[in-house]
């Protein structure tokens, strides 16, 4: 007699989903990264989540610039930079510009597992070298060191104490030559020499020509050094008027501003010293007079 057989389906295992993803878990003890579900399940660009997961898996100190990320991913700079901006706007990424040793400005990138977490630590400042106690004991007192004279550094000139006309002349040199861009410290250092030239009767236009004419095609040094060398020479001679003794010439003042007048012919406003009619009305009247004479 044949054995009985049943065509009923087998009973499904309890807890196993009938559709969707089924995870096959493996317990990892090394080389893994913990990512919050809020970041992994974030709606939006998959590139953003991938960049965030990659940055989370990197050790501290690894470069995460756009160039470094483009070398790892196949996406271009536009998608990578957009992903970094989205992470920065969501609070996962923070980029700070800090000044390092020697005054070099660098960008530090901080990545947060959870937005709004603890603030990023402030980078420590470089330590100053400790003075040698033996040399410090043998060193003279500050007052005695200040009396040495030649070894003392000269005081830094202040721009607030400089002559306004000299500052204006130095600041406008870049109009005549775009290479003559001076810092505030350079202007403060050169302003006293320009003031001496102005006191000797040299006009601003002459000073500008003397400082900008005949410069080399390639400035291999700082422009302030060339200007200081030229200002160290004797001021340019100023021609004196005939029958008068040479003396300091007064700086030319601004041209007088004529008052507004109303034209007697067309009631249009124009500037004039005496008034009457505007230029167009005078031209029209002259034309009529010529036609009447003919």
């Amino acid at each position: 007699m044949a054995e009985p057989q049943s065509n009923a389906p087998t009973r499904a295992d309890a807890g196993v989903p009938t559709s969707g993803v089924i995870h096959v878990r493996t317990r990892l003890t090394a080389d893994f990264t913990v990512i919050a579900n809020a970041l992994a399940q974030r709606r939006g660009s998959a590139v953003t989540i991938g960049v965030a997961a990659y940055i989370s898996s990197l050790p501290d100190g690894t470069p995460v610039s756009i160039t470094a990320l483009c070398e790892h991913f196949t996406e271009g700079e536009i998608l990578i930079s957009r992903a970094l901006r989205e992470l920065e706007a969501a609070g996962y990424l923070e980029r700070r510009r800090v000044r390092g040793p020697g005054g070099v400005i660098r960008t530090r990138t901080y990545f947060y597992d959870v937005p709004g977490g603890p603030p990023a630590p402030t980078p420590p400042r470089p330590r100053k070298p400790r003075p040698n106690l033996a040399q410090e004991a043998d060193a003279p007192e500050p007052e005695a060191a200040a009396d040495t004279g030649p070894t003392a550094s000269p005081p830094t000139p202040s721009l607030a104490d400089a002559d306004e006309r000299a500052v204006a002349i130095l600041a406008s040199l870049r109009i005549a030559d775009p290479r003559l861009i001076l810092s505030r410290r350079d202007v403060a250092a050169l302003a006293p020499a320009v003031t001496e030239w102005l006191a000797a009767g040299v006009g601003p236009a002459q000073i500008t020509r003397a400082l900008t004419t005949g410069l080399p095609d390639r400035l291999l040094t700082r422009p302030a050094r060339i200007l200081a060398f030229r200002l160290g020479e004797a001021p340019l001679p100023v021609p004196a008027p005939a029958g008068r003794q040479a003396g300091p010439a007064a700086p030319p003042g601004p041209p007088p501003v004529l008052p507004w007048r109303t034209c007697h012919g067309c009631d249009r406003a124009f500037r004039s010293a005496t008034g009457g009619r505007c230029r167009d009305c005078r031209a029209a009247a002259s034309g009529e007079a010529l036609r009447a004479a003919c």
Side-chain angles (χ1 to χ4, degrees), residues 8-13:
T10 57
R11 184 178 180 182
D13 296 336

Side-chain angles (χ1 to χ4, degrees), residues 38-49:
L39 177 59
Q41 301 175 4
R42 183 176 182 271
R43 294 180 59 88
S45 173
V47 179
T48 303
I49 301 175

Side-chain angles (χ1 to χ4, degrees), residues 77-97:
E77 295 183 359
I78 297 178
L79 294 179
I80 296 298
S81 60
R82 183 184 302 170
L84 293 177
R85 288 196 302 268
E86 291 182 3
L87 293 175
E88 192 171 6
Y92 290 99
L93 188 71
E94 180 183 2
R95 287 178 281 196
R96 296 183 184 178
R97 297 177 64 85

Side-chain angles (χ1 to χ4, degrees), residues 16-283:
V16 178
T18 58
S19 62
V21 64
I22 299 177
H23 293 280
V24 181
R25 304 290 184 181
T26 301
R27 183 177 180 83
L28 301 177
T29 58
D31 297 335
F32 66 92
T33 302
V34 178
I35 300 178
N37 289 338
L39 177 59
Q41 301 175 4
R42 183 176 182 271
R43 294 180 59 88
S45 173
V47 179
T48 303
I49 301 175
V51 171
Y54 175 69
I55 295 177
S56 299
S57 65
L58 296 176
D60 292 345
T62 305
V64 289
S65 62
I66 296 178
T67 303
L69 294 176
C70 288
E71 293 179 357
H72 177 78
F73 292 100
T74 58
E75 284 75 12
E77 295 183 359
I78 297 178
L79 294 179
I80 296 298
S81 60
R82 183 184 302 170
L84 293 177
R85 288 196 302 268
E86 291 182 3
L87 293 175
E88 192 171 6
Y92 290 99
L93 188 71
E94 180 183 2
R95 287 178 281 196
R96 296 183 184 178
R97 297 177 64 85
V98 297
R99 188 180 300 275
V104 180
I105 298 179
R106 301 180 182 275
T107 300
R108 290 184 176 269
T109 304
Y110 299 92
F111 192 84
Y112 299 89
D113 295 334
V114 179
T122 303
R125 295 183 178 180
R127 297 183 179 180
K128 297 182 179 180
R130 295 183 179 180
N132 193 347
L133 297 180
Q135 296 179 358
E136 185 177 0
D138 298 337
E141 295 294 332
E143 297 181 356
D147 297 338
T148 55
T151 58
S153 59
T156 304
S158 176
L159 188 60
D161 301 334
D163 187 2
E164 295 182 357
R165 296 181 301 166
V167 173
I169 294 173
L170 293 171
S172 61
L173 292 179
R174 60 184 180 86
I175 301 177
D177 194 330
R179 300 174 297 175
L180 299 180
I181 299 178
L182 304 176
S183 62
R184 296 174 60 90
R185 184 174 182 178
D186 295 337
V187 172
L190 298 174
V194 178
T195 303
E196 294 180 1
W197 282 46
L198 292 173
V202 184
Q206 290 178 296
I207 297 177
T208 301
R209 286 196 300 268
L211 297 179
T212 57
T213 303
L215 292 176
D217 296 336
R218 296 181 59 187
L219 294 179
L220 301 180
T221 182
R222 293 175 55 189
R225 295 183 180 180
I226 298 179
L227 299 181
F229 176 78
R230 294 193 172 187
L231 289 172
E233 301 177 353
L236 298 174
V238 180
R244 296 185 182 181
Q245 297 181 355
V257 179
L258 299 178
W260 288 101
R261 306 289 185 179
T262 302
C263 178
H264 296 168
C266 61
D267 292 337
R268 185 173 60 181
F270 69 102
R271 291 187 180 274
S272 175
T274 58
R277 295 192 177 189
C278 63
R279 180 174 55 186
D280 296 340
C281 291
R282 291 196 303 268

